[in-house]
Amino acid sequence: MLKTGTTNTQPEHGSPVKTPIILAKHEKPGVSSELRASSGRLWKPRGDTDVRLATSPKHSIPTLLQSGELPSTPQQPSYKIQQRNDVRPQPDSDWTHSTSQTSSVKIIDEYMNWCPDALSEFLLDQNDYRVIGVLGLEGVGKTYIMNLLATRPKSAAPPFKAERTGPDGAGHSTFGMNAYVTPERVILLDCQPLFSSAVLDHIHSNERKFNFNGDLSSGEDLCDAINMQLTMFMLSVCHIVIIAENWFTDPNLHRVLQAVEMLKPPQLSNEKSDEHPDFTSRIVFVQNMCKANDPDVYDTRLMEENLHSIYSSSNLRISRHKSNGKVKILSLALKNSEGSDIDRVICTKLEQKFLQDIMSMHVLPIVSKTTLTEKNWYQYACKLWDAVKKSPFISEYIRLLIM
């Protein structure tokens, strides 16, 4: 009796024995007959109806084992697993020599003198960094923006001090320029306020201590010259310069920016050409201290149209919208302890969007023909500040305004 998959045979003595039928795959091209025979497989050639054993007495497995002639098998590739200790930085690496900075240091003192060794111990010999500075009038929240960019834990003290230092509470805490290096290798520069009455009073009280290259008749003229010097320096050594405002706009601030664009000296180590033009920082306008519960009052569209008309013919690298090419304004809302939870959530979202926009901006190298490391940048900034102070264009420009 024949069943599926088996055949029944009747021997001379005993019960029927089931003999299995084993079907083999078709012959693959390129496979030798000896390898098929040595593997001991049952195979069926095409066009043959009989099932036969592919092995022969000459190439049977017992015969090959006795003779020691086993078919060669391909060698498996060997891999070496690298240990974690092999990728750790060496003890003499530059990253291990960095000193963590807990508070900002002064790189330009209150008399506009450069501090050569103030920031050296916090800088490294590596070129993966960016420099961000801030400019603005008094009380617009420049220090608040710098502390926000520092991204320190809430429990830690802010690196830039923002308390009032005047006897009657009216004044500011930043004279000259302060610097702070974050663990993410972002160099932050906080500048003294422009057009500040407290700075003007400080200049009148210590006018003889300011070493200015030029003969200016009054303290007001010296204050205007210092404002232009600080703005010119910021636009020359920073990848990104933030212009902070807390109301519509100030025409004096834009007048200084336009004058600096005209009087800015060429780079120290670059020869100006069409292929390598002079470096200019990327300018970002920030509307600070907006009210989160009243966004219609602080609608930035009218402000953006006004700034676009002012800088329509300017060569300054101002941050613009990709869609229409108009000047882009970033918004920040001041957190109020008396505000609602919704206001705090809106303020936090604005801060997160601001940080994302600033840190994702494409920046150009400060010096195009060479790569500046952090320490080289500090030396370059020292030389450029000296060149800005000795430049005769600022004093001549102020004399022309007085005439």
Side-chain angles (χ1 to χ4, degrees):
M1 180 178 182
L2 180 62
K3 294 183 179 180
T4 303
T6 60
T7 57
N8 294 345
T9 59
Q10 182 71 26
E12 297 179 357
H13 302 283
S15 61
V17 179
K18 294 181 180 181
T19 303
I21 296 177
I22 302 176
L23 299 179
K25 295 182 180 179
H26 294 297
E27 178 183 359
K28 295 182 180 179
V31 181
S32 62
S33 59
E34 293 184 0
L35 183 59
R36 291 195 303 270
S38 61
S39 61
R41 293 180 182 175
L42 292 175
W43 63 284
K44 180 179 180 180
R46 293 182 179 179
D48 196 352
T49 57
D50 297 332
V51 179
R52 65 188 67 180
L53 184 62
T55 57
S56 61
K58 180 179 178 181
H59 298 93
S60 61
I61 292 178
T63 306
L64 292 174
L65 289 175
Q66 292 177 2
S67 61
E69 299 178 0
L70 290 175
S72 60
T73 57
Q75 296 291 334
Q76 295 293 333
S78 59
Y79 300 95
K80 182 181 179 181
I81 300 177
Q82 190 177 17
Q83 298 181 359
R84 296 177 62 89
N85 295 333
D86 297 338
V87 297
R88 293 179 181 177
Q90 299 299 326
D92 56 348
S93 175
D94 294 334
W95 289 90
T96 59
H97 295 312
S98 62
T99 303
S100 59
Q101 192 173 356
T102 57
S103 62
S104 61
V105 296
K106 193 173 293 294
I107 60 174
I108 298 178
D109 62 11
E110 55 185 353
Y111 305 113
M112 300 297 112
N113 297 320
W114 185 264
C115 304
D117 300 326
L119 203 65
S120 300
E121 60 177 322
F122 307 109
L123 301 177
L124 304 175
D125 280 325
Q126 61 94 25
N127 54 11
D128 187 11
Y129 67 97
R130 63 175 51 194
V131 185
I132 302 177
V134 62
L135 291 170
L137 305 182
E138 184 177 353
V140 298
K142 300 184 300 299
T143 303
Y144 162 72
I145 294 176
M146 289 290 101
N147 288 329
L148 182 62
L149 290 171
T151 62
R152 299 195 63 181
K154 295 182 179 180
S155 58
F160 296 95
K161 297 181 180 180
E163 71 270 12
R164 299 289 181 173
T165 58
D168 54 351
H172 59 91
S173 59
T174 305
F175 280 97
M177 186 175 297
N178 299 335
Y180 175 76
V181 183
T182 68
E184 294 79 15
R185 313 317 302 169
V186 179
I187 303 175
L188 303 176
L189 302 181
D190 186 15
C191 178
Q192 72 179 25
L194 306 179
F195 304 104
S196 171
S197 58
V199 173
L200 180 60
D201 181 69
H202 174 71
I203 292 175
H204 279 298
S205 303
N206 306 277
E207 191 171 354
R208 295 183 179 180
K209 297 182 180 179
F210 287 89
N211 184 17
F212 183 75
N213 185 26
D215 186 15
L216 298 178
S217 57
S218 63
E220 289 80 1
D221 298 337
L222 181 58
C223 183
D224 291 339
I226 291 175
N227 293 335
M228 297 183 65
Q229 286 178 347
L230 293 174
T231 305
M232 188 178 297
F233 175 77
M234 281 284 199
L235 294 180
S236 301
V237 301
C238 295
H239 295 107
I240 300 174
V241 174
I242 298 174
I243 307 298
E245 295 181 304
N246 63 346
W247 63 297
F248 186 76
T249 189
D250 191 298
N252 293 324
L253 181 60
H254 303 294
R255 177 178 60 84
V256 170
L257 288 175
Q258 292 175 340
V260 166
E261 180 186 5
M262 176 178 59
L263 304 174
K264 181 176 176 291
Q267 286 182 291
L268 299 180
S269 58
N270 270 12
E271 296 180 0
K272 185 177 180 180
S273 62
D274 296 336
E275 185 177 354
H276 299 287
D278 282 343
F279 169 80
T280 303
S281 304
R282 186 165 188 171
I283 299 176
V284 181
F285 289 96
V286 177
Q287 191 67 24
N288 198 14
M289 299 184 183
C290 297
K291 291 183 179 180
N293 56 359
D294 194 4
D296 295 334
V297 178
Y298 291 90
D299 191 359
T300 59
R301 288 177 296 179
L302 182 60
M303 303 179 190
E304 290 175 349
E305 292 178 358
N306 184 32
L307 291 178
H308 181 71
S309 63
I310 294 176
Y311 296 99
S312 58
S313 60
S314 175
N315 293 326
L316 295 174
R317 295 181 61 245
I318 299 176
S319 180
R320 301 176 183 272
H321 290 282
K322 295 182 180 180
S323 58
N324 53 16
K326 292 185 178 181
V327 177
K328 182 179 181 181
I329 297 179
L330 301 181
S331 300
L332 281 174
L334 186 64
K335 289 185 178 181
N336 189 0
S337 59
E338 299 178 357
S340 62
D341 295 337
I342 298 179
D343 294 343
R344 295 190 184 95
V345 171
I346 295 176
C347 294
T348 303
K349 289 184 178 180
L350 289 176
E351 291 178 354
Q352 293 175 354
K353 187 179 183 303
F354 169 76
L355 292 175
Q356 183 180 3
D357 292 341
I358 292 295
M359 294 304 176
S360 62
M361 286 183 179
H362 174 69
V363 295
L364 298 177
I366 296 177
V367 179
S368 58
K369 291 187 178 181
T370 183
T371 302
L372 291 179
T373 63
E374 294 179 9
K375 293 184 178 180
N376 296 143
W377 170 86
Y378 192 59
Q379 297 174 0
Y380 174 81
C382 176
K383 295 179 181 179
L384 198 140
W385 175 247
D386 185 64
V388 167
K389 290 186 64 177
K390 293 180 180 179
S391 176
F393 301 117
I394 296 179
S395 59
E396 293 295 333
Y397 175 77
I398 294 177
R399 288 195 187 96
L400 290 175
L401 293 179
I402 297 174
M403 294 177 60

